[in-house]
């Protein structure tokens, strides 16, 4: 039995705690704001087994100028942040070539094909089945041109094993009659599902793990000092030694990874959501408007409208224009929505090749990374947690993880 610290309590961190405890280890979680305090709180709640095509793909060379200049673009850049963003953006564009993007797509597809297995036992043992809504996700296209531009990606998903059913306007209307009839085409992704309450899912998992002996520390780690026999974990008011540390802290992993020999180009994609209370019966499943870059997901509290991307670092100020765009677009698609509440801003951890970091640190095999999941932290959380446990146990992983190694950025 090892003594293991997990840094972070989102989908990845708490899944890691579950799988480590299942192996019999003594586990402590460090998280200053509680379960689902970061990006895991406000996401669209979708298990997106179809999301194998990363944001960095060849279409960005065609679409980036339009995205940066259009008032209806789901992508925004705060120009004063550009000097700090430029090195990351250059790497992002370098990884957007056809060959590199396809390599990232195939690597992600391998993980996503096994993602459900990372959750099955966890959901059953922790009593979380009540949060699962099995309806499949629907992507929508409001123009034939947008649909035509998506066909290559849909076909690639099919070749990689993702069940995709394309739909005509009449089929969309029959499936989700409350939608405004502005969508000419759609794609339904088999095997996907969503959560009725992502934060509630994680908070229930936290309580279950604590009842099983998990130690909870409402502190953030300020430093990691790996040694040959242990890792010293430093907080503001104390220091502890662990046999292993799993770094699952999302955007806050960057500085700690650098202390462990890995100065990784980890950035933040700022995402937003509104909650429209009382509208959860308007739609039966997550509905994504592809051109506008957002989802509408029926949840216990209402319809969550989540999405968009802003590149502006970790500043707490919200972008009013993106919040207005989300509200306007949601009502355009689903006119029955009422008044939105609780605008939210979160920070998705993102690396320029669109892949997470999964593996051991350069300075010590006792520090294990699992962060940088961009838009699919919920989807890959269970599997990533299981891979952390495999690393601690010295087991061979069930999937090739070479593409996700932290050392891929050292050159």
């Amino acid at each position: 039995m090892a003594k293991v610290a997990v840094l972070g309590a989102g989908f990845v961190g708490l899944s890691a705690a579950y799988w480590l405890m299942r192996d019999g280890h003594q586990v402590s979680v460090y998280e200053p704001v509680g379960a689902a305090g970061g990006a895991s709180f406000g996401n669209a709640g979708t298990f997106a087994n179809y999301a194998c095509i990363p944001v960095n793909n060849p279409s960005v060379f065609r679409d980036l100028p339009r995205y940066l200049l259009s008032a209806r673009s789901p992508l925004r850049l705060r120009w004063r942040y550009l000097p700090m963003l430029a090195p990351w953006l250059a790497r992002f564009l370098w990884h957007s070539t056809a060959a590199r993007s396809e390599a990232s797509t195939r690597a992600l597809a391998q993980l996503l094909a096994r993602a459900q297995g990372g959750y099955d036992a966890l959901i059953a043992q922790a009593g979380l089945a009540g949060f699962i809504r099995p309806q499949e996700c629907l992507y929508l296209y409001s123009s034939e041109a947008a649909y035509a531009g998506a066909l290559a990606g849909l076909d690639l998903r099919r070749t990689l094993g993702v069940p995709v059913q394309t739909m005509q306007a009449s089929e969309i209307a029959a499936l989700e009659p409350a939608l405004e009839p502005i969508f000419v085409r759609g794609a339904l992704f088999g095997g996907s599902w969503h959560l009725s309450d992502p934060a509630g899912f994680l908070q229930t998992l936290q309580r279950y793990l604590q009842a099983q002996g998990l130690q909870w520390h409402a502190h953030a780690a300020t430093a990691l000092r790996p040694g040959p026999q242990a890792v010293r974990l430093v907080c503001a008011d104390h220091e502890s030694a662990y046999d292993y540390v799993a770094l699952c802290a999302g955007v806050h992993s960057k500085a700690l990874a650098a202390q462990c020999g890995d100065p990784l180009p980890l950035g933040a994609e700022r995402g937003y959501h509104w909650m429209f209370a009382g509208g959860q019966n308007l739609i039966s499943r997550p509905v994504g408007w592809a051109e506008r870059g957002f989802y509408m997901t029926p949840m216990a509290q209402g319809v969550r409208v989540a999405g968009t991307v802003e590149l502006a670092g970790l500043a707490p100020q919200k972008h009013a224009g993106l919040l207005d765009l989300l509200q306007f677009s949601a009502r355009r698609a689903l006119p029955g929505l009422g008044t939105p509440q609780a605008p939210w801003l979160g920070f998705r951890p993102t690396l320029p090749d669109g892949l997470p970091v999964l593996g051991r640190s350069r300075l010590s095999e006792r520090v294990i990374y699992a962060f940088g999941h961009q838009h699919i932290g919920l989807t890959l959380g269970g599997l990533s947690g299981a891979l952390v446990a495999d690393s601690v146990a010295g087991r061979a992983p069930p999937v090739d993880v070479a593409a996700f190694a932290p050392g891929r950025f050292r050159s």
Side-chain angles (χ1 to χ4, degrees):
M1 179 182 73
K3 185 180 177 184
V4 187
V6 176
L7 309 186
F11 284 95
V12 178
L14 286 187
S15 296
Y18 166 82
W19 287 105
L20 288 162
M21 291 175 68
R22 182 175 161 128
D23 278 351
H25 300 300
Q26 180 183 338
V27 180
S28 297
V29 166
Y30 284 78
E31 173 55 69
V33 292
S40 289
F41 173 85
N43 56 53
T46 57
F47 179 83
N49 60 329
Y50 51 85
C52 56
I53 299 179
V55 175
N56 52 301
N57 64 76
S59 69
V60 303
F61 297 106
R62 177 194 68 219
D63 295 337
L64 190 58
R66 174 173 58 86
Y67 279 142
L68 291 177
L69 297 175
S70 171
R72 293 186 177 180
S73 169
L75 170 65
R76 302 294 170 91
L77 170 65
R78 294 193 187 182
W79 294 104
R80 65 178 180 272
Y81 184 69
L82 185 58
M84 292 173 282
L85 178 67
W88 184 94
L89 188 58
R91 284 177 179 261
F92 173 86
L93 294 173
W94 190 79
H95 283 287
S96 297
T97 62
R100 296 185 182 98
S101 178
E102 183 174 346
S104 292
T105 296
R106 293 186 180 278
L108 281 176
Q110 289 187 69
L111 286 186
L112 289 164
R114 293 182 175 271
Q116 182 65 52
Y119 277 120
D120 286 337
L122 183 156
I123 288 169
Q125 292 186 7
L128 299 168
F131 291 97
I132 309 301
R133 301 290 182 265
Q135 291 85 354
E136 298 164 324
C137 178
L138 176 65
Y139 262 23
L140 297 174
Y141 305 90
S142 57
S143 73
E144 291 288 353
Y147 177 69
L151 282 175
L154 295 175
D155 288 341
L156 179 56
R157 286 182 168 97
R158 288 191 182 96
T159 65
L160 294 172
V162 178
V164 182
Q165 175 189 348
T166 54
M167 307 186 77
Q168 304 284 344
S170 59
E171 296 171 302
I172 295 168
L175 190 66
E176 298 294 344
L179 289 171
E180 188 75 0
I182 59 174
F183 301 105
V184 299
R185 298 279 187 159
L188 196 66
F189 297 105
S192 57
W193 45 265
H194 69 282
L195 293 174
S196 62
D197 181 358
F201 178 97
L202 289 177
Q203 290 158 2
T204 302
L205 177 57
Q206 176 190 343
R207 289 192 293 270
Y208 166 80
L209 293 173
Q210 287 185 281
Q212 304 302 309
L214 175 72
Q215 299 298 306
W216 192 271
H217 301 272
H219 307 284
T222 58
L224 292 178
R225 297 171 181 162
Q229 304 299 323
V231 181
R232 303 295 299 182
L233 188 154
V234 181
C235 295
D237 59 353
H238 72 276
E239 182 174 333
S240 301
Y242 290 92
D243 297 313
Y244 295 90
V245 171
L247 182 51
C248 313
V251 294
H252 305 293
S253 302
K254 183 175 182 176
L256 295 172
Q259 294 171 10
C260 298
D262 296 290
L264 297 168
L266 182 67
E269 285 188 26
R270 299 157 61 89
Y272 292 85
H273 89 218
W274 285 105
M275 181 64 78
F276 289 80
Q280 55 264 60
N281 295 324
L282 292 171
I283 49 176
S284 65
R285 67 195 64 245
V287 174
W289 187 346
E291 299 102 299
R292 297 289 177 90
F294 74 95
Y295 283 94
M296 299 177 290
T297 305
M299 294 185 177
Q301 305 92 339
V303 173
R304 177 174 291 177
V305 177
T308 69
V309 171
E310 183 188 20
L311 301 177
L314 298 177
Q317 294 81 12
K318 297 180 179 68
H319 193 301
L322 280 176
L323 286 168
D324 289 345
L325 178 66
L326 273 178
Q327 186 175 165
F328 170 82
S329 299
R331 285 210 178 94
R332 180 74 178 95
L334 198 58
L337 290 172
T339 302
Q341 302 170 352
W344 176 86
L345 163 65
F347 305 99
R348 307 181 190 100
T350 182
L351 289 143
D353 60 355
L355 303 179
V357 168
L358 301 168
R360 300 178 188 273
S361 74
R362 184 175 68 85
L363 293 183
S364 173
E365 292 192 349
R366 295 181 176 275
V367 178
I368 299 165
Y369 299 148
F371 58 83
H373 291 73
Q374 205 175 55
H375 296 253
I376 50 176
L378 185 162
T379 308
L380 290 177
L383 177 62
S384 297
L387 292 171
V388 168
D390 287 341
S391 294
V392 170
R395 291 188 294 262
V399 62
D400 184 4
V401 294
F404 311 102
R408 69 188 191 265
F409 293 110
R410 289 177 193 148
S411 60

